[in-house]
Structure formats: structure tokens, C-alpha cells
mmCIF file of all heavy atoms in Angstrom:
data_model
loop_
_atom_site.group_PDB
_atom_site.id
_atom_site.type_symbol
_atom_site.label_atom_id
_atom_site.label_comp_id
_atom_site.label_asym_id
_atom_site.label_seq_id
_atom_site.Cartn_x
_atom_site.Cartn_y
_atom_site.Cartn_z
ATOM 1 N N HIS M 1 -173.507 -67.554 -62.687
ATOM 2 C CA HIS M 1 -174.884 -67.224 -62.848
ATOM 3 C C HIS M 1 -175.721 -68.189 -63.799
ATOM 4 O O HIS M 1 -176.908 -68.099 -63.931
ATOM 5 C CB HIS M 1 -175.024 -65.813 -63.532
ATOM 6 C CG HIS M 1 -174.650 -64.793 -62.474
ATOM 7 N ND1 HIS M 1 -175.462 -64.366 -61.443
ATOM 8 C CD2 HIS M 1 -173.538 -64.080 -62.393
ATOM 9 C CE1 HIS M 1 -174.856 -63.347 -60.707
ATOM 10 N NE2 HIS M 1 -173.687 -63.153 -61.322
ATOM 11 N N HIS M 2 -174.957 -68.954 -64.579
ATOM 12 C CA HIS M 2 -175.681 -69.680 -65.680
ATOM 13 C C HIS M 2 -175.496 -71.270 -65.629
ATOM 14 O O HIS M 2 -176.139 -71.974 -66.374
ATOM 15 C CB HIS M 2 -175.347 -69.298 -67.025
ATOM 16 C CG HIS M 2 -175.698 -67.875 -67.354
ATOM 17 N ND1 HIS M 2 -177.035 -67.583 -67.729
ATOM 18 C CD2 HIS M 2 -175.091 -66.696 -67.291
ATOM 19 C CE1 HIS M 2 -177.130 -66.247 -67.930
ATOM 20 N NE2 HIS M 2 -176.015 -65.675 -67.636
ATOM 21 N N LEU M 3 -174.526 -71.719 -64.893
ATOM 22 C CA LEU M 3 -174.213 -73.144 -64.771
ATOM 23 C C LEU M 3 -174.340 -73.787 -63.446
ATOM 24 O O LEU M 3 -173.936 -73.126 -62.403
ATOM 25 C CB LEU M 3 -172.848 -73.437 -65.317
ATOM 26 C CG LEU M 3 -172.511 -73.177 -66.756
ATOM 27 C CD1 LEU M 3 -171.029 -73.544 -67.113
ATOM 28 C CD2 LEU M 3 -173.460 -73.726 -67.743
ATOM 29 N N ARG M 4 -174.972 -74.934 -63.383
ATOM 30 C CA ARG M 4 -175.046 -75.704 -62.160
ATOM 31 C C ARG M 4 -173.797 -76.686 -62.120
ATOM 32 O O ARG M 4 -173.245 -76.953 -63.135
ATOM 33 C CB ARG M 4 -176.306 -76.598 -62.143
ATOM 34 C CG ARG M 4 -177.576 -75.757 -62.198
ATOM 35 C CD ARG M 4 -178.751 -76.642 -61.837
ATOM 36 N NE ARG M 4 -178.855 -77.848 -62.732
ATOM 37 C CZ ARG M 4 -179.662 -77.972 -63.774
ATOM 38 N NH1 ARG M 4 -180.514 -76.946 -64.139
ATOM 39 N NH2 ARG M 4 -179.632 -78.963 -64.530
ATOM 40 N N PRO M 5 -173.558 -77.230 -60.972
ATOM 41 C CA PRO M 5 -172.475 -78.290 -60.901
ATOM 42 C C PRO M 5 -172.792 -79.322 -61.866
ATOM 43 O O PRO M 5 -174.015 -79.762 -61.942
ATOM 44 C CB PRO M 5 -172.564 -78.790 -59.469
ATOM 45 C CG PRO M 5 -172.987 -77.467 -58.737
ATOM 46 C CD PRO M 5 -173.873 -76.861 -59.538
ATOM 47 N N GLY M 6 -171.905 -79.914 -62.634
ATOM 48 C CA GLY M 6 -172.167 -80.887 -63.642
ATOM 49 C C GLY M 6 -172.408 -80.309 -65.017
ATOM 50 O O GLY M 6 -172.569 -81.033 -66.006
ATOM 51 N N GLY M 7 -172.490 -78.977 -65.100
ATOM 52 C CA GLY M 7 -172.659 -78.289 -66.302
ATOM 53 C C GLY M 7 -171.531 -78.186 -67.240
ATOM 54 O O GLY M 7 -170.411 -78.765 -66.990
ATOM 55 N N LEU M 8 -171.722 -77.606 -68.376
ATOM 56 C CA LEU M 8 -170.670 -77.579 -69.479
ATOM 57 C C LEU M 8 -170.453 -76.214 -69.952
ATOM 58 O O LEU M 8 -171.353 -75.467 -70.356
ATOM 59 C CB LEU M 8 -170.981 -78.552 -70.673
ATOM 60 C CG LEU M 8 -170.069 -78.349 -71.861
ATOM 61 C CD1 LEU M 8 -168.769 -78.894 -71.580
ATOM 62 C CD2 LEU M 8 -170.721 -79.152 -73.084
ATOM 63 N N LEU M 9 -169.149 -75.753 -69.819
ATOM 64 C CA LEU M 9 -168.774 -74.486 -70.449
ATOM 65 C C LEU M 9 -167.986 -74.699 -71.823
ATOM 66 O O LEU M 9 -167.026 -75.425 -71.684
ATOM 67 C CB LEU M 9 -167.989 -73.640 -69.579
ATOM 68 C CG LEU M 9 -167.322 -72.433 -70.093
ATOM 69 C CD1 LEU M 9 -168.298 -71.298 -70.416
ATOM 70 C CD2 LEU M 9 -166.216 -71.722 -69.055
ATOM 71 N N VAL M 10 -168.428 -74.081 -72.855
ATOM 72 C CA VAL M 10 -167.681 -74.322 -74.149
ATOM 73 C C VAL M 10 -167.096 -72.886 -74.432
ATOM 74 O O VAL M 10 -167.931 -71.861 -74.444
ATOM 75 C CB VAL M 10 -168.634 -74.744 -75.279
ATOM 76 C CG1 VAL M 10 -167.904 -74.956 -76.599
ATOM 77 C CG2 VAL M 10 -169.405 -76.027 -74.826
ATOM 78 N N VAL M 11 -165.840 -72.842 -74.722
ATOM 79 C CA VAL M 11 -165.101 -71.608 -75.089
ATOM 80 C C VAL M 11 -164.640 -71.778 -76.499
ATOM 81 O O VAL M 11 -163.656 -72.537 -76.761
ATOM 82 C CB VAL M 11 -164.069 -71.372 -74.101
ATOM 83 C CG1 VAL M 11 -163.289 -70.029 -74.542
ATOM 84 C CG2 VAL M 11 -164.526 -71.144 -72.701
ATOM 85 N N ASP M 12 -165.188 -70.934 -77.435
ATOM 86 C CA ASP M 12 -164.784 -70.944 -78.843
ATOM 87 C C ASP M 12 -164.253 -69.574 -79.256
ATOM 88 O O ASP M 12 -164.909 -68.665 -79.647
ATOM 89 C CB ASP M 12 -165.977 -71.247 -79.621
ATOM 90 C CG ASP M 12 -165.698 -71.364 -81.120
ATOM 91 O OD1 ASP M 12 -164.563 -71.447 -81.663
ATOM 92 O OD2 ASP M 12 -166.682 -71.402 -81.935
ATOM 93 N N TYR M 13 -162.919 -69.333 -79.192
ATOM 94 C CA TYR M 13 -161.885 -70.367 -78.856
ATOM 95 C C TYR M 13 -160.977 -69.696 -77.945
ATOM 96 O O TYR M 13 -160.892 -68.573 -77.677
ATOM 97 C CB TYR M 13 -161.284 -70.953 -80.071
ATOM 98 C CG TYR M 13 -160.624 -69.909 -81.082
ATOM 99 C CD1 TYR M 13 -159.146 -69.636 -80.796
ATOM 100 C CD2 TYR M 13 -161.246 -69.260 -82.041
ATOM 101 C CE1 TYR M 13 -158.575 -68.824 -81.662
ATOM 102 C CE2 TYR M 13 -160.567 -68.538 -82.954
ATOM 103 C CZ TYR M 13 -159.267 -68.272 -82.758
ATOM 104 O OH TYR M 13 -158.472 -67.283 -83.614
ATOM 105 N N LEU M 14 -160.071 -70.592 -77.343
ATOM 106 C CA LEU M 14 -159.277 -70.270 -76.130
ATOM 107 C C LEU M 14 -158.330 -69.182 -76.464
ATOM 108 O O LEU M 14 -158.022 -68.320 -75.627
ATOM 109 C CB LEU M 14 -158.533 -71.505 -75.659
ATOM 110 C CG LEU M 14 -157.673 -71.527 -74.519
ATOM 111 C CD1 LEU M 14 -157.687 -72.825 -73.749
ATOM 112 C CD2 LEU M 14 -156.239 -71.109 -74.746
ATOM 113 N N GLN M 15 -157.721 -69.215 -77.656
ATOM 114 C CA GLN M 15 -156.651 -68.127 -77.901
ATOM 115 C C GLN M 15 -157.227 -66.724 -78.096
ATOM 116 O O GLN M 15 -156.454 -65.879 -78.269
ATOM 117 C CB GLN M 15 -155.823 -68.579 -79.176
ATOM 118 C CG GLN M 15 -154.815 -69.774 -78.967
ATOM 119 C CD GLN M 15 -155.480 -71.114 -79.156
ATOM 120 O OE1 GLN M 15 -156.723 -71.190 -79.327
ATOM 121 N NE2 GLN M 15 -154.659 -72.115 -79.098
ATOM 122 N N LYS M 16 -158.524 -66.669 -78.073
ATOM 123 C CA LYS M 16 -159.107 -65.348 -78.248
ATOM 124 C C LYS M 16 -159.609 -64.761 -76.928
ATOM 125 O O LYS M 16 -160.020 -63.563 -76.781
ATOM 126 C CB LYS M 16 -160.284 -65.441 -79.136
ATOM 127 C CG LYS M 16 -159.916 -65.372 -80.642
ATOM 128 C CD LYS M 16 -160.998 -64.829 -81.576
ATOM 129 C CE LYS M 16 -160.467 -64.593 -82.981
ATOM 130 N NZ LYS M 16 -161.474 -63.959 -83.859
ATOM 131 N N VAL M 17 -159.399 -65.534 -75.849
ATOM 132 C CA VAL M 17 -159.786 -65.032 -74.448
ATOM 133 C C VAL M 17 -158.786 -63.945 -74.099
ATOM 134 O O VAL M 17 -157.734 -64.180 -74.020
ATOM 135 C CB VAL M 17 -159.765 -66.073 -73.422
ATOM 136 C CG1 VAL M 17 -160.148 -65.538 -72.025
ATOM 137 C CG2 VAL M 17 -160.847 -67.224 -73.785
ATOM 138 N N PRO M 18 -159.304 -62.746 -73.772
ATOM 139 C CA PRO M 18 -158.312 -61.647 -73.580
ATOM 140 C C PRO M 18 -157.696 -61.867 -72.200
ATOM 141 O O PRO M 18 -158.325 -62.125 -71.202
ATOM 142 C CB PRO M 18 -159.145 -60.323 -73.647
ATOM 143 C CG PRO M 18 -160.516 -60.821 -73.346
ATOM 144 C CD PRO M 18 -160.567 -62.248 -73.927
ATOM 145 N N VAL M 19 -156.397 -61.586 -72.120
ATOM 146 C CA VAL M 19 -155.743 -61.561 -70.785
ATOM 147 C C VAL M 19 -154.940 -60.213 -70.722
ATOM 148 O O VAL M 19 -154.008 -60.091 -71.626
ATOM 149 C CB VAL M 19 -154.716 -62.808 -70.653
ATOM 150 C CG1 VAL M 19 -153.971 -62.733 -69.409
ATOM 151 C CG2 VAL M 19 -155.499 -64.184 -70.707
ATOM 152 N N HIS M 20 -155.252 -59.508 -69.890
ATOM 153 C CA HIS M 20 -154.613 -58.044 -69.759
ATOM 154 C C HIS M 20 -153.283 -58.102 -69.119
ATOM 155 O O HIS M 20 -153.031 -58.867 -68.254
ATOM 156 C CB HIS M 20 -155.539 -57.130 -69.037
ATOM 157 C CG HIS M 20 -156.921 -57.115 -69.577
ATOM 158 N ND1 HIS M 20 -157.226 -56.636 -70.894
ATOM 159 C CD2 HIS M 20 -158.083 -57.528 -69.060
ATOM 160 C CE1 HIS M 20 -158.562 -56.772 -71.047
ATOM 161 N NE2 HIS M 20 -159.071 -57.315 -70.079
ATOM 162 N N GLY M 21 -152.319 -57.335 -69.638
ATOM 163 C CA GLY M 21 -150.998 -57.283 -69.012
ATOM 164 C C GLY M 21 -149.934 -58.342 -69.525
ATOM 165 O O GLY M 21 -148.960 -58.456 -68.851
ATOM 166 N N VAL M 22 -150.292 -59.002 -70.436
ATOM 167 C CA VAL M 22 -149.388 -60.059 -70.970
ATOM 168 C C VAL M 22 -148.790 -59.614 -72.340
ATOM 169 O O VAL M 22 -149.374 -58.921 -73.060
ATOM 170 C CB VAL M 22 -149.986 -61.518 -71.194
ATOM 171 C CG1 VAL M 22 -150.551 -61.992 -69.838
ATOM 172 C CG2 VAL M 22 -151.157 -61.439 -72.186
ATOM 173 N N ALA M 23 -147.605 -60.093 -72.623
ATOM 174 C CA ALA M 23 -146.886 -59.551 -73.781
ATOM 175 C C ALA M 23 -146.813 -60.624 -74.902
ATOM 176 O O ALA M 23 -146.586 -60.139 -76.082
ATOM 177 C CB ALA M 23 -145.400 -59.112 -73.413
ATOM 178 N N THR M 24 -146.995 -61.816 -74.619
ATOM 179 C CA THR M 24 -146.814 -62.795 -75.644
ATOM 180 C C THR M 24 -148.100 -63.635 -75.783
ATOM 181 O O THR M 24 -148.805 -63.918 -74.758
ATOM 182 C CB THR M 24 -145.654 -63.731 -75.350
ATOM 183 O OG1 THR M 24 -145.866 -64.416 -74.196
ATOM 184 C CG2 THR M 24 -144.333 -62.829 -75.340
ATOM 185 N N THR M 25 -148.262 -64.368 -76.932
ATOM 186 C CA THR M 25 -149.374 -65.336 -77.063
ATOM 187 C C THR M 25 -149.112 -66.533 -76.168
ATOM 188 O O THR M 25 -150.117 -67.082 -75.572
ATOM 189 C CB THR M 25 -149.347 -65.825 -78.519
ATOM 190 O OG1 THR M 25 -149.622 -64.731 -79.459
ATOM 191 C CG2 THR M 25 -150.462 -66.856 -78.706
ATOM 192 N N ARG M 26 -147.843 -66.998 -75.933
ATOM 193 C CA ARG M 26 -147.554 -67.981 -75.077
ATOM 194 C C ARG M 26 -148.120 -67.786 -73.639
ATOM 195 O O ARG M 26 -148.745 -68.603 -73.011
ATOM 196 C CB ARG M 26 -146.090 -68.372 -75.045
ATOM 197 C CG ARG M 26 -145.686 -69.532 -74.248
ATOM 198 C CD ARG M 26 -144.230 -69.732 -74.210
ATOM 199 N NE ARG M 26 -143.856 -70.917 -73.400
ATOM 200 C CZ ARG M 26 -143.675 -70.820 -72.101
ATOM 201 N NH1 ARG M 26 -143.828 -69.676 -71.444
ATOM 202 N NH2 ARG M 26 -143.240 -71.875 -71.389
ATOM 203 N N GLU M 27 -147.827 -66.598 -73.119
ATOM 204 C CA GLU M 27 -148.245 -66.176 -71.856
ATOM 205 C C GLU M 27 -149.757 -66.105 -71.752
ATOM 206 O O GLU M 27 -150.388 -66.467 -70.731
ATOM 207 C CB GLU M 27 -147.641 -64.782 -71.414
ATOM 208 C CG GLU M 27 -147.804 -64.545 -69.944
ATOM 209 C CD GLU M 27 -147.095 -63.320 -69.530
ATOM 210 O OE1 GLU M 27 -146.392 -62.703 -70.385
ATOM 211 O OE2 GLU M 27 -147.094 -62.895 -68.341
ATOM 212 N N GLN M 28 -150.385 -65.554 -72.891
ATOM 213 C CA GLN M 28 -151.815 -65.388 -72.849
ATOM 214 C C GLN M 28 -152.545 -66.832 -72.767
ATOM 215 O O GLN M 28 -153.458 -67.030 -71.980
ATOM 216 C CB GLN M 28 -152.337 -64.728 -74.146
ATOM 217 C CG GLN M 28 -153.813 -64.558 -74.316
ATOM 218 C CD GLN M 28 -154.463 -65.753 -75.055
ATOM 219 O OE1 GLN M 28 -153.821 -66.398 -75.886
ATOM 220 N NE2 GLN M 28 -155.706 -65.960 -74.778
ATOM 221 N N VAL M 29 -152.023 -67.731 -73.513
ATOM 222 C CA VAL M 29 -152.546 -69.065 -73.606
ATOM 223 C C VAL M 29 -152.349 -69.776 -72.207
ATOM 224 O O VAL M 29 -153.280 -70.489 -71.607
ATOM 225 C CB VAL M 29 -151.879 -69.995 -74.713
ATOM 226 C CG1 VAL M 29 -152.337 -71.441 -74.598
ATOM 227 C CG2 VAL M 29 -152.338 -69.433 -76.092
ATOM 228 N N MET M 30 -151.119 -69.567 -71.593
ATOM 229 C CA MET M 30 -150.905 -70.172 -70.414
ATOM 230 C C MET M 30 -151.750 -69.729 -69.238
ATOM 231 O O MET M 30 -152.426 -70.509 -68.505
ATOM 232 C CB MET M 30 -149.345 -69.851 -69.920
ATOM 233 C CG MET M 30 -149.023 -70.578 -68.555
ATOM 234 S SD MET M 30 -147.366 -70.163 -68.172
ATOM 235 C CE MET M 30 -147.370 -68.422 -67.911
ATOM 236 N N ARG M 31 -152.049 -68.385 -69.248
ATOM 237 C CA ARG M 31 -152.916 -67.857 -68.194
ATOM 238 C C ARG M 31 -154.410 -68.234 -68.443
ATOM 239 O O ARG M 31 -155.079 -68.662 -67.452
ATOM 240 C CB ARG M 31 -152.848 -66.291 -68.189
ATOM 241 C CG ARG M 31 -151.477 -65.729 -67.810
ATOM 242 C CD ARG M 31 -151.400 -65.520 -66.388
ATOM 243 N NE ARG M 31 -152.403 -64.456 -65.981
ATOM 244 C CZ ARG M 31 -152.147 -63.155 -66.106
ATOM 245 N NH1 ARG M 31 -151.057 -62.634 -66.523
ATOM 246 N NH2 ARG M 31 -153.028 -62.162 -65.684
ATOM 247 N N SER M 32 -154.782 -68.234 -69.638
ATOM 248 C CA SER M 32 -156.244 -68.651 -69.962
ATOM 249 C C SER M 32 -156.437 -70.155 -69.637
ATOM 250 O O SER M 32 -157.469 -70.482 -69.043
ATOM 251 C CB SER M 32 -156.504 -68.391 -71.501
ATOM 252 O OG SER M 32 -156.447 -67.078 -71.768
ATOM 253 N N THR M 33 -155.450 -70.984 -69.999
ATOM 254 C CA THR M 33 -155.611 -72.383 -69.776
ATOM 255 C C THR M 33 -155.655 -72.697 -68.400
ATOM 256 O O THR M 33 -156.518 -73.615 -67.872
ATOM 257 C CB THR M 33 -154.372 -73.181 -70.420
ATOM 258 O OG1 THR M 33 -154.422 -72.826 -71.841
ATOM 259 C CG2 THR M 33 -154.692 -74.675 -70.414
ATOM 260 N N GLU M 34 -154.777 -72.112 -67.521
ATOM 261 C CA GLU M 34 -154.709 -72.346 -66.035
ATOM 262 C C GLU M 34 -156.029 -71.877 -65.439
ATOM 263 O O GLU M 34 -156.600 -72.580 -64.632
ATOM 264 C CB GLU M 34 -153.543 -71.564 -65.504
ATOM 265 C CG GLU M 34 -152.121 -72.173 -65.858
ATOM 266 C CD GLU M 34 -151.032 -71.257 -65.312
ATOM 267 O OE1 GLU M 34 -151.347 -70.060 -64.905
ATOM 268 O OE2 GLU M 34 -149.883 -71.723 -65.306
ATOM 269 N N THR M 35 -156.529 -70.729 -65.872
ATOM 270 C CA THR M 35 -157.817 -70.267 -65.274
ATOM 271 C C THR M 35 -158.954 -71.157 -65.606
ATOM 272 O O THR M 35 -159.804 -71.534 -64.778
ATOM 273 C CB THR M 35 -158.129 -68.826 -65.708
ATOM 274 O OG1 THR M 35 -156.961 -67.906 -65.395
ATOM 275 C CG2 THR M 35 -159.348 -68.287 -65.101
ATOM 276 N N LEU M 36 -158.968 -71.657 -66.800
ATOM 277 C CA LEU M 36 -160.108 -72.498 -67.233
ATOM 278 C C LEU M 36 -160.034 -73.817 -66.565
ATOM 279 O O LEU M 36 -161.167 -74.296 -66.148
ATOM 280 C CB LEU M 36 -160.059 -72.716 -68.788
ATOM 281 C CG LEU M 36 -160.580 -71.494 -69.651
ATOM 282 C CD1 LEU M 36 -160.356 -71.844 -71.100
ATOM 283 C CD2 LEU M 36 -162.000 -71.163 -69.344
ATOM 284 N N LYS M 37 -158.940 -74.283 -66.291
ATOM 285 C CA LYS M 37 -158.718 -75.609 -65.569
ATOM 286 C C LYS M 37 -159.181 -75.336 -64.111
ATOM 287 O O LYS M 37 -160.008 -76.111 -63.512
ATOM 288 C CB LYS M 37 -157.279 -76.072 -65.551
ATOM 289 C CG LYS M 37 -157.000 -77.168 -64.621
ATOM 290 C CD LYS M 37 -157.938 -78.466 -64.990
ATOM 291 C CE LYS M 37 -157.618 -79.614 -63.980
ATOM 292 N NZ LYS M 37 -158.473 -80.824 -64.231
ATOM 293 N N ASP M 38 -158.818 -74.273 -63.585
ATOM 294 C CA ASP M 38 -159.138 -73.828 -62.153
ATOM 295 C C ASP M 38 -160.685 -73.694 -62.020
ATOM 296 O O ASP M 38 -161.338 -74.186 -61.021
ATOM 297 C CB ASP M 38 -158.483 -72.590 -61.618
ATOM 298 C CG ASP M 38 -156.992 -72.892 -61.315
ATOM 299 O OD1 ASP M 38 -156.585 -73.975 -61.219
ATOM 300 O OD2 ASP M 38 -156.286 -71.801 -61.236
ATOM 301 N N LEU M 39 -161.261 -73.083 -63.027
ATOM 302 C CA LEU M 39 -162.752 -72.831 -63.166
ATOM 303 C C LEU M 39 -163.425 -74.281 -63.115
ATOM 304 O O LEU M 39 -164.494 -74.323 -62.452
ATOM 305 C CB LEU M 39 -163.040 -71.993 -64.293
ATOM 306 C CG LEU M 39 -164.467 -71.430 -64.303
ATOM 307 C CD1 LEU M 39 -164.827 -70.592 -63.155
ATOM 308 C CD2 LEU M 39 -164.611 -70.641 -65.711
ATOM 309 N N ALA M 40 -163.006 -75.111 -63.941
ATOM 310 C CA ALA M 40 -163.549 -76.411 -64.005
ATOM 311 C C ALA M 40 -163.563 -77.173 -62.629
ATOM 312 O O ALA M 40 -164.628 -77.764 -62.258
ATOM 313 C CB ALA M 40 -162.840 -77.313 -65.014
ATOM 314 N N VAL M 41 -162.500 -77.024 -61.889
ATOM 315 C CA VAL M 41 -162.354 -77.646 -60.587
ATOM 316 C C VAL M 41 -163.331 -77.015 -59.562
ATOM 317 O O VAL M 41 -164.137 -77.589 -58.909
ATOM 318 C CB VAL M 41 -160.930 -77.652 -60.118
ATOM 319 C CG1 VAL M 41 -160.803 -78.183 -58.707
ATOM 320 C CG2 VAL M 41 -160.116 -78.589 -60.987
ATOM 321 N N SER M 42 -163.136 -75.595 -59.459
ATOM 322 C CA SER M 42 -163.854 -74.839 -58.419
ATOM 323 C C SER M 42 -165.444 -74.913 -58.578
ATOM 324 O O SER M 42 -166.092 -74.926 -57.669
ATOM 325 C CB SER M 42 -163.266 -73.447 -58.385
ATOM 326 O OG SER M 42 -163.652 -72.775 -59.692
ATOM 327 N N ALA M 43 -165.823 -74.925 -59.885
ATOM 328 C CA ALA M 43 -167.356 -74.900 -60.091
ATOM 329 C C ALA M 43 -167.847 -76.186 -60.327
ATOM 330 O O ALA M 43 -169.114 -76.389 -60.516
ATOM 331 C CB ALA M 43 -167.598 -73.910 -61.337
ATOM 332 N N ASP M 44 -166.984 -77.354 -60.317
ATOM 333 C CA ASP M 44 -167.466 -78.652 -60.547
ATOM 334 C C ASP M 44 -168.240 -78.797 -61.927
ATOM 335 O O ASP M 44 -169.316 -79.383 -62.013
ATOM 336 C CB ASP M 44 -168.309 -79.192 -59.404
ATOM 337 C CG ASP M 44 -168.430 -80.651 -59.393
ATOM 338 O OD1 ASP M 44 -167.509 -81.349 -59.893
ATOM 339 O OD2 ASP M 44 -169.388 -81.257 -58.816
ATOM 340 N N ILE M 45 -167.636 -78.261 -63.014
ATOM 341 C CA ILE M 45 -168.212 -78.325 -64.284
ATOM 342 C C ILE M 45 -167.141 -78.914 -65.219
ATOM 343 O O ILE M 45 -166.007 -79.166 -64.972
ATOM 344 C CB ILE M 45 -168.522 -76.923 -64.891
ATOM 345 C CG1 ILE M 45 -167.335 -75.997 -64.925
ATOM 346 C CG2 ILE M 45 -169.613 -76.266 -63.864
ATOM 347 C CD1 ILE M 45 -167.618 -74.660 -65.577
ATOM 348 N N SER M 46 -167.634 -79.187 -66.471
ATOM 349 C CA SER M 46 -166.708 -79.627 -67.499
ATOM 350 C C SER M 46 -166.413 -78.342 -68.430
ATOM 351 O O SER M 46 -167.362 -77.566 -68.625
ATOM 352 C CB SER M 46 -167.326 -80.643 -68.463
ATOM 353 O OG SER M 46 -167.693 -81.792 -67.713
ATOM 354 N N VAL M 47 -165.209 -78.226 -68.779
ATOM 355 C CA VAL M 47 -164.897 -77.166 -69.796
ATOM 356 C C VAL M 47 -164.344 -77.657 -70.986
ATOM 357 O O VAL M 47 -163.370 -78.484 -70.988
ATOM 358 C CB VAL M 47 -163.824 -76.141 -69.134
ATOM 359 C CG1 VAL M 47 -163.396 -75.060 -70.097
ATOM 360 C CG2 VAL M 47 -164.425 -75.486 -67.802
ATOM 361 N N LEU M 48 -164.893 -77.261 -72.143
ATOM 362 C CA LEU M 48 -164.447 -77.623 -73.428
ATOM 363 C C LEU M 48 -163.901 -76.333 -74.163
ATOM 364 O O LEU M 48 -164.782 -75.458 -74.403
ATOM 365 C CB LEU M 48 -165.611 -78.252 -74.283
ATOM 366 C CG LEU M 48 -165.294 -78.500 -75.817
ATOM 367 C CD1 LEU M 48 -164.226 -79.536 -75.928
ATOM 368 C CD2 LEU M 48 -166.609 -78.989 -76.468
#
């Protein structure tokens, strides 16, 4: 709804992005990081 291709998403900060159903910080970070990378590719944006 808010970014065009070529836009920038800034997430401050990654370890606070909630991921439901995970038991460890390692798993939360892994899921969040994978999703943000996929989002950068699929939406053709930069993610910081």
C-alpha cells in the first residue's frame, strides 16, 4: 500500500518483529530475515 518498486523499507529493528509459533530468538530472527529478503525480491524494493 505504501511503496513503489525501487522504494525503501526500514525496519527498526529486526529482532522485535513478532513471529508467532516460534520458541527461540534464533528461529524468530531466521524467519524474519528470510521473509524480509523475500519481500525485497518480490516487491522490487530495498530493505534496511
Side-chain angles (χ1 to χ4, degrees):
H1 292 287
H2 293 279
L3 295 183
R4 301 190 304 259
L8 171 65
L9 171 66
V10 182
V11 179
D12 181 11
Y13 58 90
L14 186 147
Q15 286 90 349
K16 283 203 169 186
V17 178
V19 177
H20 308 293
V22 300
T24 65
T25 299
R26 181 181 181 277
E27 190 175 1
Q28 180 268 335
V29 171
M30 180 177 66
R31 294 269 297 275
S32 297
T33 307
E34 289 175 346
T35 302
L36 289 175
K37 173 58 181 177
D38 288 345
L39 190 57
V41 173
S42 62
D44 197 24
I45 61 172
S46 305
V47 176
L48 171 65

